[in-house]
Amino acid sequence: MNKRITSFILMMAMCFCSLAAFAKSENVEKKVKIAEAAYGTPVIDGKIDNVWDSTNYNVLDNVLGGENTFYKGWFKVLWDDNNLYILAKVYSEQFSNMDSSPWENDSVEFFIDENCMRTTKYFEDDYQLRIGFDSALTASNYDVDKMNGVAEKAKDYYIAELSFPYKTVKPYENMEMGFDVQANASKMIGFERTLYTWNIKSGAPQADTSTHGTLILRKNVSIKDFDEPVYEPRKIEVDFNGISQEETIKYLDNITTTFDGKEYNYPIILVNEYPSMEINNLARVIGGEADGNVLKVGDVKLTYTENSRLARYGDGHLMLDRCPKRVNGNLYVPLNSLLPTTGWTVDYRRFDNLITIETGTNYPESQLTVYVKDYGAVGDGKVYDRDAVLAAFKAAAALAEEGTPSKLEFETGKTYKINEKQDAFALFDLDNIKNMTIEGNGSTILFERPTNSFINIEGCTNIKVKNLNVKYDERVMIWGTVKKTSAEENAIYIDIPEDSPLPADDDWAHYYCSNPADGPWIFANIINAEKEIPGFMPFDALRINSVEKVQGREYKVIFRDSIETYCPLIKKGDRLPFKSRWNSYDFGEYNKYGRPDLLTVSYSKDVTFEGVKTTNSLLMLAPISNNCGRIIFRNCEMSLAPGAIITSSADGIHLGSNRFGVIIDNCEFGNSFDDLINTQTYSGEITKIINDYTYETSRDMFCSVGDEIKFFNTSNHEIVGTAFLKEIEKKEDGGYRLTVDRKVHKVLSQETSNTPTSMYNLDSANKGNIIKNSTFKNSRRHAYIIRSACSIVENNIMENNSGAALEAANEIHGTSNEGLVPSALTFRNNTVSGEGISSKYVPLKIYSWNAQLGEQACIDGVLIENNTIDVPSMYGSININSVTGLYMLNNTIKADKPLNEATQPVVISNSSIKMIDGLNFDYKQNVSAVINIVACDVDENNIKNINIIGENIAIPYSIK
């Protein structure tokens, strides 16, 4: 033999021996565990055959990611010439397979390194196998079709039995393999997803085989005695931490109260800083009647109970921000109870000793009317009427600007065609105008192009827009019918209908785009193939990278993130809408606000839209921001145009930092590409602490002297204090210096912390929203997001929304911090229904963002009463956390589709429960408990009348 070849062979042999020795020395050095597999062939049926007695038990008790141990179960291994066989017993507090990612579900995994090379990445001989408690089989780097597995579930454990052929080796006696076992415990209330292992304590066994233990194949195994440890489920051991219940009452007799400008001088009390007035005096101020503890004004009747947060109102109750109190024999009732009932505004300026109550109706009637026909408007839907309409509008606006209340009037039932303006301003642009009405008489404004919004109102008072239809000749949102999906290209191919405009060229859209982080197309979603309802996919939206023309009307939509998991769920014929036309035109320097919303109201007071209807809402229907009085939508509508499947490219109504909330009454809003109503109040992070009373912040929070400021620590989700503004100073660098009236402890700044304290102005947080008698349907996400105080949501129909009917929560993620948690919230007499729900949403969710058990329950006062929720959500019907003072009265929850046995219909965690009285439960799916209560302050005597309909095996409630 050639000496060089002989030398090479000897060298390789030495290298192999060295590697083997290295592996063995690693076993010793790392103290990896060793398991032995006996020779034998079991039947794979989830039953424990006698042959399993020939091999030993191995215990799963490492908690991956640390040094903690917890007994989770055991496993055994057998082998023969064709297969490895594994038997495992895994204990579990719940059995959940609800997640689309199988490793997030309750399951057990096996890691195999056939050649035992202990490499730090996977090669052909390395693979990962998984079997769920429900017998679901999945694998990585292995053909699932070759696996044979069965799992059998018991009360608090499951037996999993699995066989699989070797992939790259032929087995022999005393053969060694890298090997580990991992049990996955799914996320549950109080516990994140937890991994329990046999060998590894830290690391990633799914990617690094050097972390594995060793499996040795034996013909026979010496059997060891096994005294199984006692399994004890994990316990939640936290103390409830609610908002301080310490009560302060302060009597003030030097107060002036005005009601629509008329002055009164009656004393008040401050109950924990909030004003209350003696009930008879309040009746005198507002022109109402008082009889004992009953207050009447107009159609509003409120019955107060001393020391109770609930007042009788209509056919139910109202959640109050403070309890009524009796002082010197007289009943004082909270003034803010007028906000969600009368719709009036109530403003307390504590440093001026002034309370202002306004109805928003104390304005003069129109004195002069300007008719569009007198300026040449034809209204036949053919002739361009833009110039004539604008001339009439300017004449009416000039009258109002001069002090004469005016009205602009259209002819009944006519259609006024508006040719596009050479800018992106609104058709009607009102600045600093008082007392003007636009009366449409049921006529239609028809825009030729989606480049101009309908109306902008800024700095105005008492503006009314009535009985107008607003439409666009060109479709605002493009959609296509799905032809096919391609996981390889990360794309969906679509055909765009003949009656639709085509998207802009992708290069043009990217060039024009002013937001490169999101890109010009932003995202897409799936709509049902036959009905204009969401597709109810397990994702919120799909972020688009590009839109490319294939041929004719066929386009390829390419996404930023992998869609491989979703491709099997997206069917041919489904419809895919995406943001399109609003970024197809070059508005350039003539774009007043950078985006074309249908109507905009800012820095204004008492603006009413009545009978305004639209089928296309450009970007948003209505951004409403920085207003001082009520903005009202009554008998308004946002509905689909013929052939359309989306109305607005973003939110419907978006409320931003208004001093009072919106009133939405008898409206119908649907098919938005985001939330139908969103409530936002941006916070200011504390950039610098000047002294105990003065702070610098980066953001204007629409502040006034006397405003209530909440200090919120995002790291532990705690409201650390409340203070009231004494001074506001705008700095040269654009920041703000705010001085408050008291010291607040535990405040952090950007100078000392990566998670500085946020300041929220509660007086510019849209307090007192009234959302009633309306329909909200088919949105891509939520029907209504609220982060405000003293609001009521009642008598609404909320159907087929992809997200929640009501999401009441703050929002903290990244640089987005859109508002503090709501308080004094009433949700009653609503009907919530849907054929499905998307992602991991719940129809009714009230929570503090990312709050953990034992952290502050910072949501102060919630009433959920007489609602019906009928949505088949895998994650239940109602989910609540971090509420101090929760009442749930006479509600009904339904779901007529199979869900999951791990579904929890009602979850209440980290809250103080005052009363749960009356819950009708009608689920097709058997579940363990109707109401799941975790780490709450609750008296079981206050949980009653849980009515389980049908033969569901659920118990009424569970308390942990």
Side-chain angles (χ1 to χ4, degrees):
M1 181 182 291
N2 185 290
K3 289 183 178 180
R4 290 185 178 179
I5 295 176
T6 302
S7 176
F8 176 76
I9 293 173
L10 289 171
M11 182 178 67
M12 291 301 296
M14 291 173 65
C15 180
F16 179 79
C17 293
S18 297
L19 285 172
F22 173 76
K24 290 180 179 179
S25 67
E26 282 285 286
N27 280 356
V28 174
E29 183 180 340
K30 290 188 175 182
K31 296 183 180 179
V32 299
K33 291 183 179 178
I34 297 174
E36 294 180 307
Y39 193 89
T41 305
V43 176
I44 303 300
D45 56 5
K47 307 292 190 298
I48 302 178
D49 305 337
N50 291 336
V51 68
W52 286 110
D53 293 337
S54 64
T55 191
N56 281 310
Y57 293 88
N58 302 273
V59 171
L60 295 169
D61 63 358
N62 290 331
V63 179
L64 188 62
E67 295 298 320
N68 293 334
T69 60
F70 180 90
Y71 179 63
K72 188 66 173 174
W74 53 256
F75 69 90
K76 293 183 170 188
V77 187
L78 293 170
W79 70 286
D80 61 22
D81 294 338
N82 300 308
N83 297 291
L84 271 176
Y85 304 90
I86 304 177
L87 174 73
K89 179 181 182 181
V90 181
Y91 289 94
S92 186
E93 291 118 336
Q94 70 173 11
F95 300 93
S96 174
N97 57 3
M98 293 191 290
D99 203 285
S100 58
S101 300
W103 53 88
E104 298 284 347
N105 297 321
D106 289 284
S107 56
V108 59
E109 303 186 8
F110 310 102
F111 304 96
I112 310 295
D113 173 10
E114 286 187 342
N115 65 16
C116 205
M117 293 299 290
R118 302 192 184 281
T119 53
T120 56
K121 63 179 181 179
Y122 270 43
F123 290 94
E124 182 63 18
D125 68 296
D126 308 315
Y127 47 94
Q128 172 187 7
L129 312 176
R130 182 183 304 105
I131 179 170
F133 74 91
D134 56 353
S135 301
L137 301 176
T138 50
S140 176
N141 207 30
Y142 193 91
D143 185 353
V144 175
D145 292 336
K146 294 181 179 180
M147 297 165 60
N148 180 23
V150 177
E152 290 287 334
K153 184 169 68 69
K155 182 179 179 180
D156 61 353
Y157 67 87
Y158 59 95
I159 298 292
E161 198 171 20
L162 182 69
S163 72
F164 49 95
Y166 309 99
K167 186 179 180 185
T168 64
V169 298
K170 185 176 181 179
Y172 54 87
E173 186 177 1
N174 297 324
M175 180 179 180
E176 294 186 7
M177 293 182 178
F179 180 78
D180 211 339
V181 180
Q182 173 182 295
N184 302 316
S186 61
K187 181 179 180 179
M188 59 186 295
I189 300 170
F191 300 103
E192 294 299 314
R193 171 176 171 253
T194 309
L195 311 179
Y196 303 89
T197 61
W198 167 59
N199 176 71
I200 186 175
K201 291 187 176 181
S202 63
Q206 75 278 11
D208 181 359
T209 69
S210 70
T211 66
H212 298 174
T214 300
L215 175 67
I216 303 176
L217 309 186
R218 307 287 196 193
K219 277 293 184 182
N220 296 290
V221 168
S222 177
I223 301 301
K224 302 173 183 177
D225 292 336
F226 179 65
D227 185 10
E228 182 176 4
V230 175
Y231 167 72
E232 295 183 359
R234 295 171 294 180
K235 295 180 180 179
I236 297 170
E237 297 178 350
V238 295
D239 294 325
F240 176 73
N241 177 22
I243 298 172
S244 172
Q245 299 300 301
E246 182 180 349
E247 191 171 74
T248 62
I249 297 177
K250 184 178 181 180
Y251 183 85
L252 299 175
D253 60 3
N254 58 339
I255 297 295
T256 298
T257 300
T258 68
F259 179 72
D260 277 346
K262 186 177 180 179
E263 290 190 3
Y264 299 84
N265 295 105
Y266 292 117
I268 65 169
I269 63 170
L270 296 182
V271 181
N272 290 358
E273 302 285 0
Y274 284 20
S276 291
M277 184 177 287
E278 196 274 327
I279 191 169
N280 292 285
N281 290 338
L282 179 57
R284 295 184 188 100
V285 169
I286 64 177
E289 301 176 11
D291 182 7
N293 62 344
V294 178
L295 177 68
K296 296 180 182 178
V297 56
D299 295 332
V300 174
K301 177 181 177 181
L302 287 163
T303 303
Y304 301 93
T305 300
E306 182 182 354
N307 295 321
S308 173
R309 289 286 296 275
L310 294 188
R312 291 288 305 181
Y313 172 49
D315 58 357
H317 296 84
L318 176 75
M319 175 59 68
L320 304 174
D321 64 345
R322 294 292 186 267
C323 293
K325 293 293 176 182
R326 198 169 291 278
V327 176
N328 297 326
N330 298 314
L331 184 67
Y332 284 73
V333 298
L335 291 181
N336 282 340
S337 60
L338 299 176
L339 285 169
T341 53
T342 63
W344 304 339
T345 60
V346 179
D347 185 43
Y348 174 42
R349 297 292 95 190
R350 65 190 58 241
F351 302 125
D352 298 326
N353 297 319
L354 177 66
I355 295 170
T356 304
I357 304 174
E358 294 183 338
T359 64
T361 60
N362 192 29
Y363 295 106
E365 295 292 325
S366 299
Q367 296 178 12
L368 290 176
T369 299
V370 176
Y371 297 94
V372 295
K373 66 179 182 179
D374 293 343
Y375 287 78
V378 177
D380 64 357
K382 299 177 182 178
V383 174
Y384 286 130
D385 282 323
R386 181 194 66 192
D387 293 342
V389 167
L390 279 176
F393 166 76
K394 289 175 181 178
L399 288 170
E401 192 171 18
E402 293 167 359
T404 301
S406 65
K407 179 192 295 184
L408 174 68
E409 189 161 333
F410 293 80
E411 291 186 80
T412 301
K414 291 203 170 186
T415 298
Y416 298 87
K417 189 170 184 179
I418 306 299
N419 44 320
E420 63 180 313
K421 296 166 64 182
Q422 297 305 307
D423 58 41
F425 286 27
L427 175 66
F428 300 141
D429 201 350
L430 288 173
D431 289 293
N432 299 302
I433 299 291
K434 293 183 178 180
N435 305 317
M436 180 175 170
T437 298
I438 299 175
E439 174 58 70
N441 289 313
S443 61
T444 299
I445 299 288
L446 178 62
F447 287 92
E448 182 181 31
R449 294 279 184 271
T451 54
N452 300 112
S453 56
F454 165 51
I455 190 168
N456 171 68
I457 300 170
E458 183 174 358
C460 298
T461 301
N462 187 35
I463 305 297
K464 295 181 174 66
V465 183
K466 304 169 69 175
N467 306 312
L468 259 175
N469 302 304
V470 182
K471 298 181 179 180
Y472 290 86
D473 231 2
E474 183 177 306
R475 188 173 295 167
V476 173
M477 287 283 294
I478 290 177
W479 61 270
T481 301
V482 174
K483 290 187 68 175
K484 66 177 182 178
T485 61
S486 173
E488 295 77 15
E489 297 178 281
N490 210 39
I492 298 176
Y493 287 79
I494 60 172
D495 278 330
I496 296 176
E498 291 289 340
D499 65 348
S500 171
L502 296 174
D505 179 80
D506 191 69
D507 289 339
W508 158 258
H510 277 87
Y511 174 79
Y512 166 69
C513 175
S514 59
N515 182 10
D518 289 330
W521 312 104
I522 307 184
F523 58 76
N525 199 28
I526 300 297
I527 299 294
N528 186 281
E530 299 175 353
K531 295 182 283 188
E532 282 66 48
I533 65 174
F536 303 121
M537 293 289 166
F539 52 80
D540 185 80
L542 300 174
R543 298 175 68 236
I544 297 175
N545 184 58
S546 61
V547 177
E548 300 176 2
K549 184 170 184 174
V550 179
Q551 59 181 358
R553 304 188 74 82
E554 180 182 355
Y555 280 74
K556 179 170 69 171
V557 183
I558 302 173
F559 299 94
R560 294 188 174 195
D561 306 311
S562 173
I563 65 169
E564 182 177 3
T565 304
Y566 309 129
C567 283
L569 305 174
I570 302 170
K571 306 300 183 184
K572 182 178 180 180
D574 284 344
R575 293 177 286 181
L576 185 137
F578 55 95
K579 300 191 177 192
S580 46
R581 299 311 286 167
W582 69 274
N583 63 12
S584 297
Y585 294 94
D586 183 4
F587 299 143
E589 62 184 298
Y590 301 106
N591 188 349
K592 186 174 183 180
Y593 295 106
R595 45 190 265 179
D597 300 299
L598 184 78
L599 59 92
T600 304
V601 185
S602 61
Y603 298 98
S604 297
K605 180 179 181 181
D606 300 330
V607 176
T608 299
F609 298 93
E610 184 166 354
V612 175
K613 301 178 180 181
T614 185
T615 54
N616 289 305
S617 298
L618 299 178
L619 189 58
M620 289 185 183
L621 170 67
I624 308 294
S625 59
N626 300 102
N627 295 291
C628 292
R630 288 291 196 180
I631 311 300
I632 300 173
F633 292 85
R634 186 176 289 117
N635 304 320
C636 293
E637 185 177 301
M638 180 175 73
S639 59
L640 291 170
I645 59 176
I646 295 293
T647 52
S648 66
S649 297
D651 290 343
I653 296 175
H654 189 97
L655 306 170
S657 297
N658 300 287
R659 300 195 74 80
F660 298 98
V662 71
I663 297 176
I664 298 176
D665 186 7
N666 198 36
C667 294
E668 182 171 326
F669 298 138
N671 298 84
S672 63
F673 213 38
D674 212 327
D675 309 302
L676 284 166
I677 312 174
N678 194 345
T679 310
Q680 168 192 299
T681 303
Y682 280 122
S683 68
E685 284 191 344
I686 294 178
T687 57
K688 187 176 182 179
I689 299 173
I690 304 301
N691 56 46
D692 287 343
Y693 299 88
T694 303
Y695 308 91
E696 290 187 355
T697 181
S698 57
R699 191 187 293 273
D700 174 19
M701 297 179 289
F702 199 30
C703 290
S704 295
V705 171
D707 283 355
E708 179 182 7
I709 303 296
K710 293 285 189 185
F711 294 77
F712 186 78
N713 279 352
T714 58
S715 60
N716 64 357
H717 315 101
E718 178 184 5
I719 297 173
V720 296
T722 301
F724 298 89
L725 275 176
K726 295 280 287 185
E727 296 179 12
I728 306 163
E729 176 189 349
K730 186 172 182 180
K731 300 173 61 203
E732 291 184 0
D733 62 4
Y736 292 83
R737 179 170 289 183
L738 306 179
T739 300
V740 296
D741 66 335
R742 65 197 67 185
K743 294 179 181 180
V744 177
H745 301 286
K746 298 190 291 186
V747 173
L748 306 172
S749 74
Q750 289 181 358
E751 292 182 320
T752 60
S753 175
N754 292 326
T755 55
T757 302
S758 292
M759 303 173 73
Y760 291 91
N761 182 4
L762 288 205
D763 283 298
S764 64
N766 312 286
K767 64 183 176 184
N769 295 282
I770 301 175
I771 314 296
K772 64 181 183 179
N773 309 320
S774 297
T775 297
F776 304 97
K777 62 183 182 180
N778 305 338
S779 67
R780 180 192 67 83
R781 212 167 68 133
H782 308 307
Y784 183 26
I785 300 178
I786 183 170
R787 324 178 206 276
S788 307
C790 301
S791 296
I792 189 167
V793 183
E794 63 172 342
N795 302 321
N796 300 292
I797 296 172
M798 298 163 154
E799 61 183 7
N800 281 322
N801 295 290
S802 285
L806 179 74
E807 172 132 326
N810 53 346
E811 185 168 343
I812 306 165
H813 56 94
T815 58
S816 177
N817 197 336
E818 295 201 353
L820 195 57
V821 292
S823 61
L825 172 63
T826 301
F827 184 78
R828 68 177 204 172
N829 302 335
N830 299 287
T831 300
V832 180
S833 62
E835 295 183 24
I837 197 165
S838 293
S839 192
K840 296 181 181 179
Y841 292 131
V842 176
L844 175 57
K845 190 167 184 179
I846 301 169
Y847 64 104
S848 173
W849 190 278
N850 288 335
Q852 304 298 307
L853 299 185
E855 293 184 338
Q856 185 187 68
C858 59
I859 301 173
D860 184 14
V862 172
L863 168 65
I864 303 169
E865 181 176 27
N866 199 34
N867 303 284
T868 296
I869 300 175
D870 186 2
V871 179
S873 169
M874 199 77 72
Y875 294 88
S877 301
I878 301 173
N879 194 304
I880 297 169
N881 83 32
S882 301
V883 173
T884 296
L886 171 66
Y887 295 81
M888 293 178 59
L889 309 176
N890 303 318
N891 297 287
T892 297
I893 57 174
K894 302 178 179 181
D896 64 356
K897 294 180 181 179
L899 300 173
N900 191 288
E901 62 184 66
T903 295
Q904 297 177 309
V906 179
V907 175
I908 307 171
S909 61
N910 203 49
S911 299
S912 69
I913 300 171
K914 295 298 184 182
M915 181 68 69
I916 299 176
D917 188 356
L919 179 65
N920 296 315
F921 172 71
D922 188 4
Y923 265 43
K924 182 177 181 178
Q925 174 69 54
N926 280 323
V927 296
S928 59
V930 178
I931 305 173
N932 299 269
I933 299 170
V934 181
C936 289
D937 177 21
V938 59
D939 182 345
E940 288 191 61
N941 293 319
N942 292 329
I943 305 175
K944 50 192 175 182
N945 298 316
I946 311 303
N947 178 27
I948 299 175
I949 298 171
E951 299 179 356
N952 203 293
I953 65 172
I955 61 174
Y957 61 88
S958 166
I959 298 178
K960 298 180 181 179

